[in-house]
Structure formats: C-alpha cells, structure tokens
C-alpha cells in the first residue's frame, strides 16, 4: 500500500525527531573532546576507526605524557614500536607496530597447547586420558553433560507432574512450556512445541509418552532444516565463519581446521579478523597447534584482501579447504555487515559459488537475541548453517530450536570444550535425546561408557 | 511508555471489557502479560516468578486511581518495580580504599573481560584521574595477554608484562609489588574466562582472590545472555563474593533481561555498561534506561546507540544549528537522510521511534523505503544551487528534475511541499530546547 503524502511527512518528521534527539545525545556523549570523526563510509571498514587510529588520534600527548605509559613501554614493546608509538600519530605505523607478533608471546603460548586443556570436570578428564575413545560415545556423553541441567528440569516436570495422578494435561503442558522457556527455547517456539505435544497425547499419557512426544516434536523441527553439505567440485571448499563478539569464532575456526584437515586434506585458514587486538596472534597459535597454514596480514588490513590471499594460496598449494575467520561484529552494525558481504563477494569472484558454506557461530549461553543475530546474519550472508559453541557450559542451547523453527537454519556443529577435538557434528536426534534422556538411565549409560572409553 | 507491554496490557483490558476497572482477574491476566514480556526479554524464569510475586503483592494493596486507566497504573508500577530492582539510581564504583585499589574482573569466556579491563582502565585514567595498572592473568586463551597489552597501549595506560607460562597467582603478586614501586593507585586484574561450574578454574580464581585481595570483584557479563544468566551470577557470587556487575555488548539489540536476572540473584549493583568496541565505549550504568529497554521501550536507546555508531556528531550539531537559524537546506536534508539510511532498514528504525506505530499504523515499510529512494533520486537530480535554495525551483527546473530522477513533476512538487512542512516542524522542535530531554534520555 502506498503511503499518503501525509504519512510520508509524518515519517520524515518522526525520523528527524529521532535524529535531533540523537544529535543532542551524541553531542552530549561526545562532549569529552573526542576528535571529529574523519572516517568516510567508503573505506574497507567504514566508520570503524580501529584501535590504532583511535589511539593515534587522541594520540601523542596522551600516551607520551603519562608516567604510566612510559612505565609500560620499555619492557613491553619491541624497540621499534616503543619508539614510534608516542611520537608518530600515523595510524599505519601504529597498526603495524601493534601487529608485530612478538616472538616471545607466540613461543610461550605454544607449550600451553601441549598441556591438556583444563576445564570441565570429569568429562574432560576422561576425554584427555582416552584420546582413542569411540567418538560417538564420547559425544553422547559430552552432549549429555552439556545439557544436563536442562534435562534435569524438564525431567522434573515430566515425572513430577505426570506422576501425580490425575494431573490435567493443560497443567502439564503449561509446565512443559515453562521448562522449555527455561532452556532458552523461547516463548514462541515453546508454545509451538507444546502445542504439538498436546495434540499427540491422550489425557492419561505416561511420562514416557510425553517425553517421546516432546522429543519427536523437537527433532522434527531440527531435522526439517537438514541440508546436504556444500559441494565445491574441484575447487577448494571455502567456509566463512561469522558471528557477534565473543561467541567463540576463532576457537571454532581452529577446531574446524583440525577437523577438515583430518577429513579432507590440507587446510588454509584466513585471519580476516584484522580488527580485534591480537586476534591474529590468537589464531596463529591455534593454527600451529592444528598444523594448518595461516594466511595473515597486519592488523587493520582489509579482511576481504586477507580472504582473497587465502583463496589464492589454497589454489596454488592445492589445499582442499579454506576457512575464513572474521572479526566479531554485532548484527546491529550495518556497516560491518556490509564488510562481511564484501568478503563473501570478493571470494565469490575467485571461486564460483564461494563461500560455499557460511556459518554463524552462536554462543549456547545466548538467549533470544541469537534469533535476531541469525536473522540479520542470514539476511546479509544467506547462512548455510549454525555452529553452537560452548555447549559444555551450563547453558541450555535451546535457542537453536527457535532458530531452526523460525529461520530454517540447520545446526552443523556443536562446540564442547576448549580442545581442538572438541567439535562434534550436530545430530538432532542425539541432541534431543540428551536433552530429554531420563537422568538415571543416562547416568548408568555414562558409567557403562567409561570403561569402554578408558 | 513500554510499548510492547503497553500493547499487551491494553489487549488484556479490552478483552476483559472491564471499562477501566481492575478486578482480581484482570490483575492476574495483566501479570501474565508482564511475565511473558519479561520472559521474552530473557529474564530468568525463577527471577520472573519472584518479580511477579513482588508486583502482585504491591498491586493488591494498591488503591486504584480513577484518573488513570488500569493499564497505565499497572505499567507505571511495573516500571517502578523494575527500576527499583535494577538498582534505582546509578551507582558509582567505590574507589575509597587505600591505594592501590584492586579490581578483579571475572566472567565466562567471551563475555568481554579483556576489552572491559582496558575500557575501565581508560575510564579511571581519563574520568577519575587515576593511574591504573592493567594485569592479565589469562594464561589460557592464546594471545590474551598480548591483546590486553595492545589495548593498554591504545588506552595509554600501563600493563604488567606477564607471560602465558607463568602462574596467575604469581603474576598477581608481582603486579602488586609493581604497583607499589611505580605508584599505580589502581590495579585491574583481567582473568581467564571460566565456567562457573568448572571446579578447577573456580579454585584458581579463589587463589587469585587470596593473592590479590581485591577491593572489588566484578562480574563481566554479556547482555545477550539467556536464562543461564541467573546460574552464572549465582555461581560466581557463591564462589567468589561479587561486589558489582559490568554488562557488556549493550549496544546490541538485546533486551538485556540477563541484567535483571543477575542483579536479583547476586544483589550487587550493575556499575558499568559496555556500549561499543572503542575504548571510550564504557558508560556508568543507568537502571532506568535498562528498565525501559527490558520492557520494550528502550528502542529509543538502541536507536541512539545505532546513531552514535553511524552518525557524525559534527554534522548533527551543524544540522541543529542550521535548523535554529532557518537555513536548513535540501542538501542538509540529504545529509541527514544519508546518515539515517546508514543506520539500517527504515522499517527497523521506524519501529524504534516511540509512538510511530500509533501515528501511522498502515505505513508499509517497503513502500517507505521506495519512497525514500525516490526522494533520494529527486535530490540527486538537483543542482548544487537548487539544493542550497529550494525556492528557486520553478516549473522548468522541476521538469528537469523529474526527468533526471525518473519521477514525475507531481512527485517533485510533493517532495518540495513536504520538505517545507518538515522544515517548519523541525524548526519548531529545534527551538523547543534540547530534544533529548523530551525523550527522557538523561541528558
């Protein structure tokens, strides 16, 4: 329906009101002598002066004048950097100085990798002591432990409520809905699931029947999104990994690299997170551990250029897979989403259909915002899947059901720890089984698995 | 206020046909809506139950005012309660300790501890005139120490030289010695990310606490956290005894219900909010802003965050000045439009403007987008002279513009007329004083 002229005026005015309000707030919040932004929206990272530039802009006098800065620099920096930092405000110099990987940091981090990554209680102990353990049983156990709390809650509901003679189905369903909401499934998806369960149940359903019905309903939603893995043909498979800040992209990329290396052959990783401080160093440590090649430029470089280099390198070296690690970006940052599109475009010009896989890393501890993340990222990149990271936490990961339900995005992998091998292919049935498995039976199962694993 | 909830409550009272009278039943129904709104905002289920129980007790004892509609009253109380629970007034980080004041930052992996440590150091230095020392005890995540070092340099504050093969506790002791020697009056300890259920690492944190004897232990938490926020807050508080919370990534569109969960579970104040990637993007936390946001009105704040990220403050100031002086031109309008469109799809933005849905419920966002594209084309087809002074737009010029922009003369006419109307309206508003105050943005 077309807008009437009146509505357009209203629209324009509303926008302008917002802008003026914003202007006042911006004015207020910028009062603290921030230099006027000179960044133009045409650059590789529009409107996002990197840390180096920010520092350089406020610059010289600030860092040179304080005793604290001089305190830090002599012992911290390579000579060249210590010399240039306070005196030269040129962003490039700064960026390069910062990006120089001090050999010390890298080499000292390396032995860390040989230590068994601690964390996570008994699961991890067995995992570390038994690297040869059957992958399937390990995975089941880990997922089981990962979602333990949720399961316990659901179970309490199912057995508790249905165990009570004559508990009305409606009451049961309401409680089930709550339990699902507590698992971050979300109000809408929970209602839908419970609605489906309700339909399938006779008034006198047993707890086991409810459990089955709920599991089937969840599996149905998750399985409906399944799609075959991308086929790159002769060209290397290009995987683009994206996500908001702090979800575990870099760690997931490392795990993926190790996995693809074992399954498909040589892997090239692109350090396209050129924004976050030391992100490249972090990825470099991981790539050394996984023994895969890393293509990098200095901090502040155009991420699309790094991705381009990586694709070229993969081609010339006959690598089978390219994995592109990107900077964390909140989905609300329009310009950064454009940057992401650019990476995909540039890679797509080199290899038709690339990036063949576009995966969003979602933190299992995230709530309903993950849906918004997935919606915006898929709007920009046409995602082909989700990696659910940090499922070894106490978090519930239920939001993936909402994501699958609302956006049709399949979960491809789950992250279950901080080790290179802690990435497992996602299996809807297994996930739901673990989510709903009866506590005691599964506990026995875990006990039974232990000798086999050891 | 609280649009989402307001709509819901209105729906309830309409359904009940209760002509503005509050009955037991209508309260129940209204509370149900409040509950759903909170759950949708990721407030923990148990926390919601606790919150609703408190609200119910208050509602029952309440004498109802005839001058207000029931939904207004309930809304008002929800907002009040939410603000109270979130901590009422903004709370300042207490620094009145014998120097060096020691701050320990803890949290889950990826919650933003390292960035927050650097932001906090910068804040203490710039806003409070302190001389902080940044210390990374994160020997686990690759390059975490390097990351803090780089950020410290960017913030212009000192960082202790630690290495990943050292023991966190030993690093902490060394940091205190260094602070004494070099005269740092605040020491900020960044720690490795850890799960609150990870016994080994929580014990390490306890050892770190013993070694650093911090004045504050601050939990850094992601605003996008879901139901588990309560568990995280409880776990860290029980093991370490928290004294404050720092909420990160609040510039996202997360509703931030996690904050309410954590605040209720831990009982400690939320002190700061991280609102961007830059080191300056740390703000003293304002409970009232978040209260509105959780209930669905904080969209204004989100809009402001968006604007701040994409908006040129100098240009905004200039536009305001021009408005007041009455020389706001088509060119300025075009600039504003461009800035606006950088912030995202018009539909999303309009949804964030309070009350817009009420004024123009039938506005089709896709059509609005097209209309704006047309307006853009019209402006682009004007000469610089025309943009500077729209009064010279005669028939011939309008014809040329219509041809150039692929529109009709009628459309050009309409634009010119609307531009004039908009200009008048905006001028009035610009003169009415700081607009932000009218939105209650705490300026």
């Amino acid at each position: 329906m077309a807008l009437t002229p009146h509505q357009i005026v209203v629209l324009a005015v509303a926008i302008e009101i917002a802008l003026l309000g914003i202007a006042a707030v911006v004015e207020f919040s910028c009062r603290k002598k921030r230099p006027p932004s000179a960044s133009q929206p045409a650059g590789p990272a529009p409107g996002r002066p990197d840390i180096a530039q920010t520092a350089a802009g406020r610059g010289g006098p600030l860092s040179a004048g304080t005793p604290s800065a001089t305190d830090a620099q002599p012992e911290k920096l390579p000579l060249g950097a210590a010399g240039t930092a306070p005196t030269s405000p040129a962003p490039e110099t700064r960026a390069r100085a910062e990006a120089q990987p001090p050999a010390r940091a890298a080499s000292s981090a390396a032995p860390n990798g040989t230590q068994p990554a601690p964390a996570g209680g008994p699961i991890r102990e067995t995992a570390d002591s038994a690297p040869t353990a059957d992958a399937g049983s390990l995975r089941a156990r880990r997922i089981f432990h990962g979602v333990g709390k949720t399961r316990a809650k659901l179970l309490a509901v199912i057995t508790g409520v249905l165990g009570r003679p004559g508990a009305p189905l409606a009451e049961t369903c309401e409680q089930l809905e709550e339990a699902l909401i507590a698992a971050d499934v979300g109000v809408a998806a929970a209602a839908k699931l419970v609605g489906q369960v309700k339909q399938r149940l006779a008034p006198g359903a047993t707890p086991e029947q409810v459990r089955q019905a709920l599991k089937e309903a969840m599996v149905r939603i998750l399985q409906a999104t399944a799609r075959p893995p991308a086929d790159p043909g002769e060209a290397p498979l290009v995987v683009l990994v994206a996500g908001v800040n702090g979800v575990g992209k870099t760690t997931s990329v490392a795990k993926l690299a190790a996995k693809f290396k074992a399954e498909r052959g040589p892997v090239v990783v692109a350090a396209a997170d050129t924004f976050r401080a030391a992100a490249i160093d972090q990825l470099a440590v991981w790539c050394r551990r996984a023994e895969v090649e890393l293509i990098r430029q200095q901090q502040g470089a155009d991420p699309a250029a790094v991705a381009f280099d990586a694709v070229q390198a993969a081609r010339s070296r006959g690598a089978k897979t390219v994995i592109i690690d990107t900077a964390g970006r909140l989905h609300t940052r329009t310009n950064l989403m454009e940057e992401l599109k650019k990476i995909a475009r540039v890679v797509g010009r080199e290899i038709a259909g690339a990036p063949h896989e576009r995966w969003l890393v979602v933190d299992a501890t995230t709530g309903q915002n993950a849906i918004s993340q997935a919606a915006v990222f898929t709007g920009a990149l046409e995602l082909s899947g989700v990696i659910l990271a940090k499922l070894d936490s106490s978090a519930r990961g239920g939001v993936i059901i909402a994501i699958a339900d609302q956006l049709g995005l399949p979960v491809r992998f789950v992250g279950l720890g901080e080790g290179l091998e802690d990435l497992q292919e996602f299996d809807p049935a297994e996930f739901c089984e673990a989510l709903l498995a009866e506590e005691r039976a599964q506990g026995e199962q875990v006990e039974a698995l232990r000798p086999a694993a050891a | 206020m609280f649009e989402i909830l307001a709509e819901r409550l209105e729906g309830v009272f309409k359904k009940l046909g209760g002509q503005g009278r509050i009955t037991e039943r209508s309260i129940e129904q209204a509370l149900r809506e409040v509950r759903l709104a909170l759950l949708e905002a990721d407030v923990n289920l148990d926390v919601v139950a606790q919150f609703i129980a408190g609200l119910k007790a208050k509602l029952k004892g309440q004498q109802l005012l005839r001058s207000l509609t029931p939904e207004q009253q309930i809304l008002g109380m929800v907002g009040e309660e939410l603000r109270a629970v979130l901590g009422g007034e903004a709370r300042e980080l207490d620094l009145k300790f014998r120097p060096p004041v020691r701050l320990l930052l803890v949290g889950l992996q990826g919650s933003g501890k390292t960035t927050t440590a650097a932001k906090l150091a910068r804040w203490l230095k710039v806003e409070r005139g302190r001389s902080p020392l940044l210390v990374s005890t994160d020997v686990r995540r690759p390059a975490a120490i390097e990351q803090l070092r780089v950020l410290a340099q960017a913030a212009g504050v000192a960082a202790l030289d630690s290495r990943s093969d050292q023991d966190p506790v030993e690093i902490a002791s060394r940091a205190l010695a260094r602070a004494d020697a070099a005269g740092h009056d605040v020491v900020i300890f960044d720690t490795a990310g850890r799960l609150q259920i990870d016994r080994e690492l929580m014990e390490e944190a306890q050892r770190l606490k013993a070694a650093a004897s911090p004045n504050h232990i601050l939990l850094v938490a992601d605003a996008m956290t879901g139901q588990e926020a309560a568990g995280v807050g409880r776990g860290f508080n029980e093991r370490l005894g928290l004294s404050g919370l720092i909420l990160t990534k609040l510039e996202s569109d997360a509703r931030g219900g996690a904050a309410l969960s954590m605040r209720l579970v831990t009982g400690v104040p939320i002190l700061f909010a991280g609102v961007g990637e830059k080191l300056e993007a740390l703000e003293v936390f304002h409970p009232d802003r978040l209260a509105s946001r959780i209930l669905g009105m904080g969209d204004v704040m989100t809009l402001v965050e968006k604007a701040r990220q994409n908006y040129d403050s100098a240009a905004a100031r200039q536009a305001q000045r021009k408005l007041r002086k009455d020389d706001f031109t088509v060119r300025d309008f075009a600039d504003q439009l461009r800035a606006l469109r950088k912030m995202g799809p018009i539909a999303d933005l309009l949804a964030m403007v309070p009350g817009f849905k009420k004024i123009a419920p039938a506005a089709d966002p896709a059509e609005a987008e097209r209309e704006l594209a047309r307006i853009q084309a019209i402006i682009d087809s004007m000469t610089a002279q025309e943009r500077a002074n729209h009064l010279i737009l005669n028939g011939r010029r309008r014809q040329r513009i219509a041809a150039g922009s692929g529109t009709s003369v009628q459309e050009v006419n309409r634009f010119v007329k609307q531009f004039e109307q908009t200009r008048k309206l905006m001028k009035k508003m610009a003169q009415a004083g700081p607009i932000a105050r009218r939105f209650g943005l705490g300026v």
Side-chain angles (χ1 to χ4, degrees):
Chain A
M1 167 201 147
L3 285 173
T4 65
H6 172 69
Q7 278 171 326
I8 295 168
V9 173
V10 171
L11 179 124
V13 170
I15 291 166
E16 295 300 337
I17 292 171
L19 280 179
L20 286 172
I22 287 155
V25 173
V26 170
E27 201 173 339
F28 171 76
S29 59
C30 294
R31 210 184 292 154
K32 294 146 201 162
K33 77 260 167 203
R34 217 185 300 171
S37 160
S39 63
Q40 288 299 311
R48 187 188 199 182
D50 67 23
I51 296 156
Q53 283 172 323
T54 314
R58 294 197 285 109
L62 247 179
S63 47
T66 48
S68 54
T70 46
D71 182 15
Q73 277 158 1
E75 62 174 39
K76 290 298 295 176
L77 290 175
L79 252 176
T84 48
T87 49
S88 159
E92 284 164 38
T93 327
R94 267 303 274 271
R96 209 168 297 129
E98 278 168 3
Q100 266 176 13
R104 189 182 25 165
S107 61
S108 63
N112 204 27
T114 58
Q115 295 164 5
I123 327 150
R124 176 161 309 282
E125 281 163 37
T126 21
D128 286 332
S129 59
T132 53
D134 168 56
S137 63
L138 260 182
R139 176 173 17 157
R141 197 138 30 88
R142 285 179 172 185
I143 294 181
F144 172 74
H145 275 269
V147 298
K149 222 169 152 181
T150 310
R151 188 192 53 247
K153 229 180 196 158
L154 279 173
L155 223 83
V157 169
I158 293 166
T159 51
V161 174
L162 291 181
R164 227 177 66 217
L169 188 61
E171 189 186 319
T172 311
C173 285
E174 193 168 316
Q175 297 209 19
L176 269 177
E177 200 172 322
E178 279 200 354
L180 289 174
I181 290 170
D184 284 323
V185 170
V187 176
K192 183 169 170 182
L193 275 168
V194 170
Q196 284 171 349
V197 169
K198 218 177 195 167
Q199 272 185 354
R200 301 174 135 255
L201 287 180
T206 66
E208 179 56 23
Q209 282 169 324
V210 181
R211 192 186 77 85
Q212 276 303 328
L214 190 59
K215 182 189 148 192
E216 277 164 27
M218 291 198 292
V219 169
R220 248 197 318 277
I221 289 178
L222 291 171
Q223 264 171 356
T225 65
R227 52 181 98 175
D231 177 16
E234 291 300 299
L237 174 76
V238 181
V239 180
L240 181 66
V241 178
V244 302
N245 312 67
V247 289
K249 280 178 301 303
T250 303
T251 310
S252 296
V253 163
K255 292 175 184 174
L256 282 172
K259 187 177 177 58
F260 281 128
K261 187 187 170 214
E263 288 173 4
R264 300 174 44 93
V267 171
V268 169
V269 172
D273 180 356
T274 56
F275 176 73
R276 180 165 63 86
I280 302 172
D281 295 329
Q282 183 183 351
L283 190 59
V285 172
W286 277 116
C287 285
R288 244 193 315 280
R289 288 183 195 169
E291 295 174 338
V292 298
E293 188 175 355
L294 176 72
I295 298 298
R296 57 190 287 177
Q297 291 184 15
Q298 76 275 23
Q299 197 186 345
D302 179 0
V306 181
F308 176 87
D309 285 357
V311 170
Q312 296 295 334
R315 267 187 172 155
S316 66
R317 273 157 246 190
K320 296 293 179 205
T321 312
V322 179
I323 306 175
I324 304 169
D325 183 25
T326 61
R329 65 200 73 225
L330 288 176
H331 48 297
T332 46
R333 300 275 306 265
T334 321
N335 47 1
L336 293 182
M337 297 309 289
E338 289 300 321
E339 180 191 277
L340 209 49
K341 284 190 208 165
K342 181 181 166 191
I343 298 175
R345 260 198 323 271
V346 166
V347 171
R349 273 203 292 269
E350 290 310 297
I351 297 177
H356 310 93
E357 297 281 11
R358 304 142 189 248
W359 290 335
L360 178 74
V361 182
V362 169
D363 186 333
T365 51
T366 307
Q368 298 311 295
N369 191 254
I371 302 170
S372 165
Q373 291 169 19
V376 177
F377 272 93
T378 205
L381 280 181
E382 290 176 53
L383 296 174
S384 63
V386 169
I387 298 175
L388 187 65
K390 307 188 201 174
L391 199 58
D392 55 327
S393 69
S394 55
R396 335 221 162 162
V399 73
I400 56 163
I401 293 178
I403 289 175
D405 186 34
Q406 293 179 24
L407 298 165
L409 283 174
V411 182
R412 291 295 177 85
F413 298 97
V414 294
L416 294 162
E418 288 176 328
L420 268 181
E421 70 290 348
D422 292 328
L423 184 79
Q424 305 289 350
E425 257 165 60
F426 178 75
D427 177 336
E430 201 174 48
F431 178 81
C432 297
E433 181 61 47
L435 198 82
L436 292 173
E438 208 161 325
E439 187 80 68
R440 204 159 43 102
Q442 185 76 2
E444 279 163 9
Q445 202 181 327
V446 170
E447 283 308 313
L449 283 169
R450 233 164 233 148
Chain B
M1 78 190 294
F2 307 159
E3 286 199 350
I4 292 179
L5 190 59
E7 263 168 45
R8 293 200 130 153
L9 290 180
E10 265 172 45
V12 169
F13 288 105
K14 251 186 215 134
K15 243 193 333 228
L16 292 170
Q19 256 104 78
R21 263 180 307 142
I22 295 189
T23 62
E24 194 106 328
R25 192 158 150 254
S26 64
I27 289 180
E28 284 296 329
Q29 294 248 4
L31 287 178
R32 203 184 140 74
E33 295 300 322
V34 174
R35 181 175 164 280
L36 279 177
L38 292 174
L39 285 176
E40 277 170 3
D42 282 329
V43 181
N44 177 278
L45 199 63
D46 299 334
V47 171
V48 171
Q50 198 184 330
F51 183 84
I52 295 289
L55 197 62
K56 199 168 171 181
K58 280 193 186 158
L59 273 175
K60 282 217 168 112
Q62 193 77 8
Q63 207 54 340
L64 295 169
L65 304 168
R66 281 179 183 280
S67 55
L68 292 171
T69 66
E71 61 263 27
Q72 278 172 333
Q73 287 191 51
I74 291 182
L75 266 178
M77 293 185 62
V78 171
E80 221 170 85
E81 183 77 359
L82 207 49
R83 270 188 294 276
V85 169
L86 281 170
E89 294 291 297
R91 286 273 287 276
E92 172 100 357
L93 176 69
D94 184 8
L95 293 171
K96 293 188 279 302
F97 295 97
R98 223 186 104 199
V101 180
R102 296 165 301 269
L103 311 175
L104 187 64
L105 302 190
V106 295
L108 297 183
Q109 287 91 344
S111 58
K113 286 174 299 302
T114 304
T115 309
T116 302
K119 286 178 178 177
L120 194 56
R122 184 207 155 269
W123 185 85
L124 285 165
K125 180 187 161 175
V126 175
E127 306 286 333
R128 292 293 176 271
R130 297 278 178 149
S131 163
L133 175 68
L134 275 169
V135 181
S136 174
T137 63
D138 184 355
V139 297
R140 295 166 49 81
R141 181 163 62 87
I145 296 175
E146 172 68 6
Q147 184 186 353
L148 188 65
R149 191 189 66 74
V150 172
L151 290 174
Q153 198 188 345
V157 300
L160 186 82
D161 188 16
S162 48
R163 291 200 319 269
S164 59
D165 58 354
Q166 291 168 333
D167 177 49
V169 174
E170 178 211 322
I171 294 173
S173 317
R174 204 152 51 83
L176 292 179
R178 159 60 82 80
D180 273 339
H184 295 292
D185 51 9
V186 182
V187 183
I188 301 173
F189 296 94
D190 180 24
T191 62
R194 66 199 74 220
L195 300 169
Q196 82 281 7
I197 50 166
D198 184 331
R199 215 185 50 224
E200 189 188 327
L201 276 181
M202 288 308 278
E203 277 165 9
E204 183 207 270
Q206 283 168 332
R207 284 201 305 280
L208 206 51
K209 178 185 174 182
S213 53
N215 302 105
H216 290 289
I217 300 181
L218 305 172
L219 176 66
V220 180
D222 187 328
M224 298 181 277
T225 311
Q227 292 284 322
E228 195 46 27
V232 172
R234 191 180 296 120
F236 275 95
N237 196 31
E238 277 171 5
R239 290 300 196 98
L240 297 171
L242 301 173
S243 53
L245 304 170
I246 299 179
L247 221 50
T248 61
K249 304 176 208 174
L250 254 181
E251 79 271 29
S252 70
D253 56 351
R255 301 276 290 282
L260 183 65
S261 305
M262 290 201 180
R263 161 91 184 125
L264 260 183
V265 163
T266 62
V268 300
I270 304 167
L271 297 169
F272 292 98
V275 292
E277 289 175 327
K278 291 179 194 164
L279 288 174
E280 297 83 357
L282 183 77
E283 292 176 349
V284 171
F285 177 77
H286 296 283
D288 45 342
R289 285 192 197 172
L290 195 74
S292 337
R293 179 161 171 171
I294 288 174
L295 287 172
M297 194 224 126
D299 300 320
V300 176
M301 279 318 295
T302 311
L303 195 59
V304 170
E305 302 304 347
K306 276 197 175 211
R308 195 178 336 186
Q309 286 151 15
N310 295 298
Y311 212 64
D312 183 346
S313 65
R317 265 198 297 274
Q318 206 186 359
Q320 269 191 314
R321 232 182 354 257
K322 286 191 155 183
L323 268 174
R324 262 181 238 121
K325 279 173 37 197
D326 206 13
D327 53 352
F328 189 77
T329 63
V330 175
R331 212 186 113 209
D332 301 319
F333 182 79
D335 287 345
Q336 299 248 1
L337 214 55
R338 209 170 300 124
L340 180 85
R341 300 188 80 184
K342 261 198 282 178
M343 289 195 275
I346 297 295
D348 292 3
L349 296 174
L350 284 181
M352 285 188 253
V353 178
F356 182 77
K357 250 187 265 163
K358 280 224 173 78
I359 317 171
D364 174 2
E367 179 57 35
E369 198 79 54
R370 277 194 292 276
E371 182 65 35
L372 283 175
R374 272 195 289 272
I375 290 177
Q376 190 75 58
I378 290 173
I379 295 173
D380 288 346
S381 299
M382 292 182 180
T383 63
Q385 205 188 353
E386 285 161 354
R387 274 179 230 149
N389 179 11
H390 65 282
L391 297 175
I392 63 169
L393 288 170
N394 56 24
R396 277 182 66 101
R397 285 177 188 269
R398 289 182 194 211
Q399 250 168 17
R400 193 204 75 242
I401 291 166
S405 59
T407 56
S408 64
V409 177
Q410 285 79 9
E411 278 170 309
V412 176
N413 288 342
R414 202 169 65 185
F415 166 72
V416 174
K417 203 166 147 197
Q418 281 161 7
F419 171 72
E420 275 183 340
Q421 284 174 350
T422 311
R423 196 164 162 251
K424 264 181 222 151
L425 265 169
M426 287 194 301
K427 193 186 158 201
K428 251 186 228 160
M429 276 182 291
Q431 283 168 341
I435 301 286
R437 196 174 298 147
R438 307 169 78 198
F439 284 93
L441 293 180
V443 175

